[in-house]
Amino acid sequence: MKRHLLLSLSLLTAACGPSYGMRVPDTLVKKLPYETRIELLEAENDLALAIDRVDEADNEVNRARDNIRRAKSRQEAAEDEEDRAPDASSREVAQLAIAESESRVEYLRAHQRLNVGLREVEQLALRCAFARFELARLTAARKAKVQGSERLEPKEFEEQVSECEAAVKEQRANLGGDTKEAQAAKEAWEAKKAALAKKTFDARASPYVENL
């Protein structure tokens, strides 16, 4: 955990650039007494959780990508079934299956757009956690009167945190449209899925219906 956190910190520092990347020199932190370093654990844990949330957001994007691939395969299979349908009833089921699979792909794509937006929010939130961690390091260094810490201005570090958190709030608010679009697409898919399930009598047993 500690090693993963330190590695992620170094990668984050390189990626942040000028955006919320103001740091307290490690040379100052190394001078902290042990009991003061303990006080940094809460900020460190907050940073570790933010890293985990980014990892989970990445996983969600990857899972959705796999779901879209499977859904497109099911759509192709349904189209093949329509071509092979021996009678009108079978053809109707196949057509319902095509409509359901097309709607499913549309929903998954809409949901993926939301997933990507959420991942960007979590990536920015990680920068905020990094900024809070640096503020905690500075607070600890000044509390312990570490030489050199007096040259760093706490207000600048506080403003870094405030600006980042405001940016996260704005970015989350901007996802409202994607959230509504994904919900509307899901409802449309569920309606098509229900119609197919009704035609095939039992959705749980139907080879055409797959739940998410």
Side-chain angles (χ1 to χ4, degrees), residues 66-75 101 104-105 108:
D66 291 339
N67 286 339
I68 291 172
R69 190 178 300 113
R70 286 197 299 270
K72 291 175 71 174
S73 295
R74 289 176 61 81
Q75 181 179 337
S101 60
R104 176 186 173 86
V105 170
L108 289 172

Side-chain angles (χ1 to χ4, degrees), residues 10-147:
S10 63
L11 293 174
L12 178 61
T13 303
C16 276
S19 300
Y20 318 117
M22 191 162 47
R23 293 203 63 193
V24 175
D26 290 336
T27 53
L28 297 186
V29 179
K30 288 178 181 178
K31 297 176 183 178
L32 289 174
Y34 176 77
E35 59 272 15
T36 305
R37 292 188 186 187
I38 294 297
E39 297 176 8
L40 295 175
L41 286 178
E42 183 176 349
E44 198 171 281
N45 289 336
D46 179 46
L47 183 55
L49 289 173
I51 292 170
D52 289 342
R53 285 193 291 270
V54 170
D55 287 343
E56 179 54 33
D58 278 332
N59 292 337
E60 191 62 34
V61 169
N62 292 332
R63 282 194 292 267
R65 188 180 297 124
D66 291 339
N67 286 339
I68 291 172
R69 190 178 300 113
R70 286 197 299 270
K72 291 175 71 174
S73 295
R74 289 176 61 81
Q75 181 179 337
E76 292 172 1
E79 291 168 352
D80 291 341
E81 285 295 323
E82 182 184 23
D83 293 338
R84 293 195 297 266
D87 52 50
S89 179
S90 298
R91 190 173 299 107
E92 182 182 2
V93 170
Q95 289 170 347
L96 287 172
I98 291 171
E100 184 272 340
S101 60
E102 289 176 345
S103 186
R104 176 186 173 86
V105 170
E106 289 174 5
Y107 159 59
L108 289 172
R109 283 175 173 165
H111 191 63
Q112 181 70 319
R113 287 192 290 274
L114 178 59
N115 287 338
V116 171
L118 289 170
R119 179 175 63 180
E120 291 174 356
V121 169
E122 293 302 343
Q123 288 170 340
L124 182 56
L126 174 54
R127 293 189 178 196
C128 296
F130 174 80
R132 289 192 296 271
F133 181 66
E134 291 303 314
L135 176 58
R137 279 160 46 112
L138 176 57
T139 301
R142 289 176 68 90
K143 179 180 178 180
K145 294 182 171 53
V146 174
Q147 185 177 0

Side-chain angles (χ1 to χ4, degrees), residues 74 77 81 93 97 100 196 200 202-210:
R74 289 176 61 81
E81 285 295 323
V93 170
E100 184 272 340
L196 177 59
T200 54
D202 185 356
R204 291 169 299 177
S206 172
Y208 297 101
V209 179
E210 180 184 357

